[in-house]
Amino acid sequence: PEQFERVCQANPEAVLELAADGHLIIMTPTGGETGARSLRLGQRLLLWADGSGAGAWIVFDSSTGIRLADGSVLSPDAALLLEERWQALTPEQRRGFPPLCPDLVLEQASPSDEGLRGVSALRRKMDQYQANGALLGWLLLP
């Protein structure tokens, strides 16, 4: 994961994730419809988190790399984390890829994810979040 972070810093134009086995996962940019849906989803999640009254929450967008316990670094389309877990991290950990699994992860299928292989990969990714401690995951198939 430390080497992956250096690769990302040296290649800020690349959209990458790191598999638990150390392989790079090259992500493609989303199309317009998917990008608009993602922003609306993030906005609604943030509005809920700010007004929920259920405790303080941190909301992450799709450009946030999350370092999971299995060594992977993934970027969910949106994620929610209890603020007390965020505050338990050091400032250095918060600046880099936070070493924790969000409480809620959201993944949204896009046209590039169509077909059994694409959706199957997203389902495996959701299983990976759960195996690393996510309490809830939403896989959205628009």
Side-chain angles (χ1 to χ4, degrees), residues 42-57:
Q43 176 196 33
R44 289 182 178 169
L45 189 60
L46 182 61
L47 288 172
W48 176 86
D50 286 348
S52 72
W57 297 94

PDB file of all heavy atoms in Angstrom, residues 42-57:
ATOM      1  N   GLY A  42     -24.001  11.340  -3.614  1.00  0.00           N
ATOM      2  CA  GLY A  42     -23.141  11.897  -2.572  1.00  0.00           C
ATOM      3  C   GLY A  42     -23.788  13.065  -1.855  1.00  0.00           C
ATOM      4  O   GLY A  42     -23.678  13.197  -0.630  1.00  0.00           O
ATOM      5  N   GLN A  43     -24.476  13.915  -2.618  1.00  0.00           N
ATOM      6  CA  GLN A  43     -25.163  15.060  -2.014  1.00  0.00           C
ATOM      7  C   GLN A  43     -26.234  14.590  -1.031  1.00  0.00           C
ATOM      8  O   GLN A  43     -26.330  15.103   0.081  1.00  0.00           O
ATOM      9  CB  GLN A  43     -25.803  15.918  -3.101  1.00  0.00           C
ATOM     10  CG  GLN A  43     -26.616  17.067  -2.546  1.00  0.00           C
ATOM     11  CD  GLN A  43     -27.541  17.670  -3.589  1.00  0.00           C
ATOM     12  OE1 GLN A  43     -28.040  16.975  -4.466  1.00  0.00           O
ATOM     13  NE2 GLN A  43     -27.761  18.961  -3.483  1.00  0.00           N
ATOM     14  N   ARG A  44     -27.007  13.606  -1.433  1.00  0.00           N
ATOM     15  CA  ARG A  44     -28.069  13.108  -0.553  1.00  0.00           C
ATOM     16  C   ARG A  44     -27.490  12.444   0.689  1.00  0.00           C
ATOM     17  O   ARG A  44     -28.018  12.588   1.790  1.00  0.00           O
ATOM     18  CB  ARG A  44     -28.976  12.160  -1.318  1.00  0.00           C
ATOM     19  CG  ARG A  44     -29.827  12.914  -2.319  1.00  0.00           C
ATOM     20  CD  ARG A  44     -30.754  12.028  -3.063  1.00  0.00           C
ATOM     21  NE  ARG A  44     -31.564  12.850  -3.967  1.00  0.00           N
ATOM     22  CZ  ARG A  44     -32.320  12.357  -4.910  1.00  0.00           C
ATOM     23  NH1 ARG A  44     -32.387  11.059  -5.095  1.00  0.00           N
ATOM     24  NH2 ARG A  44     -33.024  13.156  -5.683  1.00  0.00           N
ATOM     25  N   LEU A  45     -26.412  11.715   0.520  1.00  0.00           N
ATOM     26  CA  LEU A  45     -25.768  11.075   1.662  1.00  0.00           C
ATOM     27  C   LEU A  45     -25.243  12.132   2.633  1.00  0.00           C
ATOM     28  O   LEU A  45     -25.414  12.025   3.846  1.00  0.00           O
ATOM     29  CB  LEU A  45     -24.641  10.158   1.178  1.00  0.00           C
ATOM     30  CG  LEU A  45     -23.999   9.254   2.208  1.00  0.00           C
ATOM     31  CD1 LEU A  45     -25.018   8.303   2.819  1.00  0.00           C
ATOM     32  CD2 LEU A  45     -22.851   8.480   1.577  1.00  0.00           C
ATOM     33  N   LEU A  46     -24.624  13.171   2.100  1.00  0.00           N
ATOM     34  CA  LEU A  46     -24.104  14.252   2.942  1.00  0.00           C
ATOM     35  C   LEU A  46     -25.231  14.985   3.666  1.00  0.00           C
ATOM     36  O   LEU A  46     -25.127  15.260   4.865  1.00  0.00           O
ATOM     37  CB  LEU A  46     -23.290  15.236   2.090  1.00  0.00           C
ATOM     38  CG  LEU A  46     -22.636  16.386   2.835  1.00  0.00           C
ATOM     39  CD1 LEU A  46     -21.647  15.889   3.882  1.00  0.00           C
ATOM     40  CD2 LEU A  46     -21.937  17.311   1.854  1.00  0.00           C
ATOM     41  N   LEU A  47     -26.325  15.277   2.973  1.00  0.00           N
ATOM     42  CA  LEU A  47     -27.466  15.941   3.614  1.00  0.00           C
ATOM     43  C   LEU A  47     -28.035  15.083   4.739  1.00  0.00           C
ATOM     44  O   LEU A  47     -28.363  15.587   5.813  1.00  0.00           O
ATOM     45  CB  LEU A  47     -28.544  16.271   2.586  1.00  0.00           C
ATOM     46  CG  LEU A  47     -28.213  17.405   1.623  1.00  0.00           C
ATOM     47  CD1 LEU A  47     -29.272  17.500   0.525  1.00  0.00           C
ATOM     48  CD2 LEU A  47     -28.076  18.727   2.360  1.00  0.00           C
ATOM     49  N   TRP A  48     -28.139  13.767   4.490  1.00  0.00           N
ATOM     50  CA  TRP A  48     -28.628  12.884   5.548  1.00  0.00           C
ATOM     51  C   TRP A  48     -27.669  12.895   6.733  1.00  0.00           C
ATOM     52  O   TRP A  48     -28.082  13.017   7.876  1.00  0.00           O
ATOM     53  CB  TRP A  48     -28.792  11.453   5.038  1.00  0.00           C
ATOM     54  CG  TRP A  48     -29.199  10.547   6.158  1.00  0.00           C
ATOM     55  CD1 TRP A  48     -30.458  10.315   6.601  1.00  0.00           C
ATOM     56  CD2 TRP A  48     -28.325   9.819   7.031  1.00  0.00           C
ATOM     57  NE1 TRP A  48     -30.428   9.468   7.685  1.00  0.00           N
ATOM     58  CE2 TRP A  48     -29.129   9.153   7.971  1.00  0.00           C
ATOM     59  CE3 TRP A  48     -26.944   9.663   7.103  1.00  0.00           C
ATOM     60  CZ2 TRP A  48     -28.594   8.343   8.970  1.00  0.00           C
ATOM     61  CZ3 TRP A  48     -26.418   8.863   8.094  1.00  0.00           C
ATOM     62  CH2 TRP A  48     -27.241   8.208   9.018  1.00  0.00           C
ATOM     63  N   ALA A  49     -26.379  12.755   6.457  1.00  0.00           N
ATOM     64  CA  ALA A  49     -25.375  12.692   7.526  1.00  0.00           C
ATOM     65  C   ALA A  49     -25.389  13.975   8.360  1.00  0.00           C
ATOM     66  O   ALA A  49     -25.309  13.920   9.587  1.00  0.00           O
ATOM     67  CB  ALA A  49     -23.993  12.449   6.935  1.00  0.00           C
ATOM     68  N   ASP A  50     -25.504  15.122   7.695  1.00  0.00           N
ATOM     69  CA  ASP A  50     -25.491  16.395   8.414  1.00  0.00           C
ATOM     70  C   ASP A  50     -26.759  16.608   9.234  1.00  0.00           C
ATOM     71  O   ASP A  50     -26.736  17.280  10.255  1.00  0.00           O
ATOM     72  CB  ASP A  50     -25.305  17.557   7.446  1.00  0.00           C
ATOM     73  CG  ASP A  50     -23.882  17.660   6.928  1.00  0.00           C
ATOM     74  OD1 ASP A  50     -22.985  16.989   7.469  1.00  0.00           O
ATOM     75  OD2 ASP A  50     -23.671  18.426   5.964  1.00  0.00           O
ATOM     76  N   GLY A  51     -27.870  16.034   8.805  1.00  0.00           N
ATOM     77  CA  GLY A  51     -29.130  16.284   9.500  1.00  0.00           C
ATOM     78  C   GLY A  51     -29.703  15.087  10.223  1.00  0.00           C
ATOM     79  O   GLY A  51     -30.823  15.143  10.722  1.00  0.00           O
ATOM     80  N   SER A  52     -28.951  14.002  10.338  1.00  0.00           N
ATOM     81  CA  SER A  52     -29.514  12.766  10.872  1.00  0.00           C
ATOM     82  C   SER A  52     -29.775  12.805  12.364  1.00  0.00           C
ATOM     83  O   SER A  52     -30.666  12.123  12.847  1.00  0.00           O
ATOM     84  CB  SER A  52     -28.590  11.585  10.555  1.00  0.00           C
ATOM     85  OG  SER A  52     -27.428  11.652  11.359  1.00  0.00           O
ATOM     86  N   GLY A  53     -28.977  13.553  13.090  1.00  0.00           N
ATOM     87  CA  GLY A  53     -29.119  13.547  14.533  1.00  0.00           C
ATOM     88  C   GLY A  53     -28.662  12.226  15.149  1.00  0.00           C
ATOM     89  O   GLY A  53     -28.826  11.992  16.330  1.00  0.00           O
ATOM     90  N   ALA A  54     -28.118  11.336  14.334  1.00  0.00           N
ATOM     91  CA  ALA A  54     -27.700  10.015  14.811  1.00  0.00           C
ATOM     92  C   ALA A  54     -26.203   9.959  15.081  1.00  0.00           C
ATOM     93  O   ALA A  54     -25.591   8.912  14.979  1.00  0.00           O
ATOM     94  CB  ALA A  54     -28.100   8.967  13.773  1.00  0.00           C
ATOM     95  N   GLY A  55     -25.606  11.064  15.392  1.00  0.00           N
ATOM     96  CA  GLY A  55     -24.164  11.090  15.609  1.00  0.00           C
ATOM     97  C   GLY A  55     -23.477  11.791  14.466  1.00  0.00           C
ATOM     98  O   GLY A  55     -24.069  12.080  13.440  1.00  0.00           O
ATOM     99  N   ALA A  56     -22.220  12.048  14.664  1.00  0.00           N
ATOM    100  CA  ALA A  56     -21.450  12.765  13.643  1.00  0.00           C
ATOM    101  C   ALA A  56     -20.892  11.766  12.635  1.00  0.00           C
ATOM    102  O   ALA A  56     -20.386  10.706  13.003  1.00  0.00           O
ATOM    103  CB  ALA A  56     -20.333  13.544  14.316  1.00  0.00           C
ATOM    104  N   TRP A  57     -20.979  12.134  11.363  1.00  0.00           N
ATOM    105  CA  TRP A  57     -20.547  11.268  10.268  1.00  0.00           C
ATOM    106  C   TRP A  57     -19.569  12.002   9.368  1.00  0.00           C
ATOM    107  O   TRP A  57     -19.651  13.211   9.206  1.00  0.00           O
ATOM    108  CB  TRP A  57     -21.738  10.839   9.415  1.00  0.00           C
ATOM    109  CG  TRP A  57     -22.748  10.030  10.147  1.00  0.00           C
ATOM    110  CD1 TRP A  57     -23.875  10.490  10.768  1.00  0.00           C
ATOM    111  CD2 TRP A  57     -22.740   8.617  10.347  1.00  0.00           C
ATOM    112  NE1 TRP A  57     -24.562   9.447  11.330  1.00  0.00           N
ATOM    113  CE2 TRP A  57     -23.890   8.288  11.087  1.00  0.00           C
ATOM    114  CE3 TRP A  57     -21.871   7.612   9.960  1.00  0.00           C
ATOM    115  CZ2 TRP A  57     -24.194   6.985  11.457  1.00  0.00           C
ATOM    116  CZ3 TRP A  57     -22.168   6.306  10.324  1.00  0.00           C
ATOM    117  CH2 TRP A  57     -23.322   6.002  11.063  1.00  0.00           C
TER     118      TRP A  57
END
